[in-house]
Amino acid sequence: MSPRTAAASPHRPVGYRDLLTAPHILRLLTGAVVGHLPVAMAPIALLMVVRADGGSVRQAGLLAAAYGISAALGQPLWGRMLDRHGLTPTLVGTACASTGAFALLAVLDTVGYPTVAALLALAAGVATPPAEAALRVLWQQVTASDAQLRAALSLDACAQEIVFIVGPLLVLGVDAVTDAQMPLAAAAVLGLAGTVLLATATPTRHWQPAPPRRTDALGPLRAPGPRTLAIALLGAGVALGALNVVALALAEQHHAPALSTLMPAALAVGSLTGGLAYGRLRWPGAPPTHLRTTALGLLAGLLPLLLQPGPSIAVAVAILPGLFLAPLLVSVFSSLDDLAPRGTLGEASAWMVACLGLGQAAGTALASSATGPLPPTAVALAGAAAALTTLLARSASLSPT
């Protein structure tokens, strides 16, 4: 029995207050959350900048999409850099590059120089610091037991939900008191400040990469366990991306515009609730069981949407899949500790982040091509079903060898 497992044997649950007062925990979490804010702020800020420059909605949407997709695609590369060259150099280098691209976008005439604007948006996205992957590497170092690790991962997952609630509100707040370029500049400053706070923490600076190993383009995805988790998250991402379109379709059907924002907000509330409960309490069963159960819960939570509920019920129903979202993510990242090949945890974590993001983009695109509320709902259900089917069909790959 490993020291970590032995330390997890007491039945007393881990309290979040005790966790946050442990050395380094609060600083690491704060740095990662603040450093990740640009991912939630930049798409909206880019829309505002282009529109303020007199550009079309189409140009603004393409620029925001270019940023979002490149941000997801860049993560595995930086995850590999974390594993090979250390956390601090990779975090600081990417933060400086991304901040520089944002700063140039804030002062550029995006309509007069559309190609330059697109290249800068791509650069800002590709250079998104791998804060989530770095933090998930560090959790293993700064927690003393499996129970404490799960609590830390749960707080991490809940914090990411807060990012996507607070980020848009910050953009609206900054835009209300200044001009349209400032939200993008604010995103750049916050991203740099948070990433530097994370990168200069003692555990980050002292973390040592594993000896270099020969890898190909897929890296840890060559191993069956991480590959299974990545495919499952791709399916879960499709479900989440389609759910945004479902909300929009129901809003139009019921002539209730607020539904398009209230339903995603309800999903986030459900995810916060489920994540906190999952990390606080002890649950029976092995990690593969948790993975399958949470994926099944995500699928089951989407089923009531087939009934095309009215506005108030639709908001309440949107909470249901959220209850299982954060626990699913926690189960995935806690499983990586045992399933990722030695020395590839950073890259494996980055692949998980990338696959979830790419799945969301694909889900939004697929659901947007359909008409009426039921076809987008079918896309969401198909994504969740794909995640569950993957975990069921490849159960053997989820057990450590």
Side-chain angles (χ1 to χ4, degrees), residues 122-203:
L122 288 170
V126 168
T128 298
E132 290 180 78
L135 186 59
R136 277 150 189 162
V137 170
L138 289 168
W139 284 144
Q140 193 180 37
Q141 308 298 316
V142 298
T143 55
S145 69
D146 285 342
Q148 196 176 56
L149 173 61
R150 187 171 66 181
L153 287 169
S154 296
L155 272 182
D156 187 1
C158 292
Q160 298 309 316
E161 294 294 340
I162 294 174
V163 164
F164 287 95
I165 296 173
V166 173
L169 294 177
L170 283 173
V171 172
L172 295 176
V174 173
D175 181 63
V177 298
T178 183
D179 57 41
Q181 284 73 27
M182 287 308 296
L184 200 57
V189 171
L190 287 170
L192 180 62
T195 304
V196 169
L197 183 66
L198 173 64
T200 55
T202 299

Side-chain angles (χ1 to χ4, degrees), residues 18-32 135 138-139 141-143 152 197-198 200-206:
D18 294 338
L19 180 67
L20 289 173
T21 55
H24 312 299
I25 298 289
L26 185 58
R27 174 171 178 168
L28 293 174
L29 186 62
T30 301
L135 186 59
L138 289 168
W139 284 144
Q141 308 298 316
V142 298
T143 55
L197 183 66
L198 173 64
T200 55
T202 299
T204 311
R205 290 186 287 107
H206 290 176

Side-chain angles (χ1 to χ4, degrees), residues 6-7 11 13 71-72 94 114 138 161 187 203 210 212 232 261 263 272 299 327 363 366 381 384:
H11 294 285
T94 51
L138 289 168
E161 294 294 340
T261 54
M263 286 184 67
L272 283 170
L299 175 60
L366 290 170
L381 288 168

